[in-house]
Amino acid sequence: SHLNNTHTFGPVLHQHLRYNPLRDTWVLVSAHRMKRPWAGQVEKPPEEHVPRHDPHNPLCPGNTRANGEINPDYDSTFLFENDFPALQPDAPDPGSGQHPLFQSRAARGVCKVMCFHPWSDVTLPLMKKEEVVKVIDKWAELVEELGSTYPWVQIFENKGAMMGCSNPHPHCQVWASNFLPNEPALSDRCQRAFHQKHGEPLLLQYAKQEAEKKERVVVETSDWLAVVPYWATWPYQTLLLPRRHVLRINDLTAEEREGLADIMRRLLTKYDNLFEISFPYSMGWHGAPTGPHLTEDNSHWQLHAHYYPPLLRSATVKKFMVGYEMLAQEQRDLTPEQAAEKLRNLSEEHYKTRDN
């Protein structure tokens, strides 16, 4: 028959759909398309020679920022209020009595920037393990502090010019809001539904399954697991999971924080080694909502981090989320298993330190 149902299914040979239980969406996997020629846009390779201290970089110790404030001569992490915040704590309420097609709601919050290290020429995988632990401790402190009132605290890192980050200095952002944003609200709904139906947190069961299957595991430690998720959209997307049931980053033990620093350095070293460049990505943490939700039962939640890197074929060829993906649904060529195997087989010694 023209339906071709007689062939045995092979994920690398035959296109198929995969379900993303965290977003209640499907992704189209079309591995056979990796053979097509590429003659499209080529991105400029990232600038490799970053000065350790640039007197004009507003994130460096001792420098002046846009608002005239002078950074302290910091030697570890450094936190400050974003000079151009998307959210401010005191915005007025748009009021009620709105048309159903033209609804608005109050948006309030704070936006902070956190530098990981005083040097501009390092990134997380090139930092010492104890320096990365300090970053994790600061993340936990911020979730604790801002989460005492705000329902959502989003920690995220945009790395690389390809991800719209113009400043090479190692840093992340922390936005706290008086509303639960779209992505975590969706994730909350999906995790809750799974928990109600199966009696176990979705990502706890998922981590157990992936640890057994091994085919999508990139790196693992006794406390943590990094996988290319079964439903990944971006070519080398990864999901970082604790093996224990943990609701929020501030619930991690000292030992788990050490383990997290270790697995982050290993994962990001592999990322950099893939094309031997400082690998661009957007990453962020999702954990149980905070503020008014602290008193609710959030046992359906499991802490996790998403890494979304854009690169596909080389240091210069990225995946575009356009056309069919904007109008119909997400699609990928390389299978998650192929991507995981490629990352898994890479060295855990960073190419920059190896060459030195």
Side-chain angles (χ1 to χ4, degrees), residues 209-266:
Q209 295 267 347
E210 288 290 38
E212 276 170 35
K213 293 182 192 293
K214 300 228 180 298
E215 60 184 329
R216 283 172 296 272
V217 174
V218 177
V219 266
E220 54 183 328
T221 68
S222 54
D223 293 324
W224 295 89
L225 192 65
V227 300
V228 175
Y230 176 75
W231 52 82
T233 298
W234 294 93
Y236 294 98
Q237 178 177 332
T238 50
L239 178 62
L240 182 52
L241 297 161
R243 295 179 189 260
R244 175 177 78 88
H245 188 200
V246 181
L247 296 190
R248 301 175 182 91
I249 199 165
N250 46 325
D251 297 329
L252 294 173
T253 65
E255 196 183 337
E256 284 166 335
R257 293 176 192 201
E258 296 267 331
L260 176 55
D262 178 50
I263 201 167
M264 278 171 61
R265 288 175 74 232
R266 289 167 63 196

Side-chain angles (χ1 to χ4, degrees), residues 128-147:
K128 295 189 184 80
K129 184 177 159 181
E130 55 273 22
E131 293 173 330
V132 180
V133 171
K134 283 183 180 170
V135 169
I136 295 161
D137 286 341
K138 199 75 193 163
W139 283 343
E141 201 182 297
L142 282 161
V143 169
E144 185 85 39
E145 183 194 315
L146 296 168

Side-chain angles (χ1 to χ4, degrees), residues 333-344:
D333 296 347
L334 186 72
T335 69
E337 296 74 32
Q338 289 169 327
E341 186 180 15
K342 224 168 184 175
L343 291 171
R344 189 166 56 240

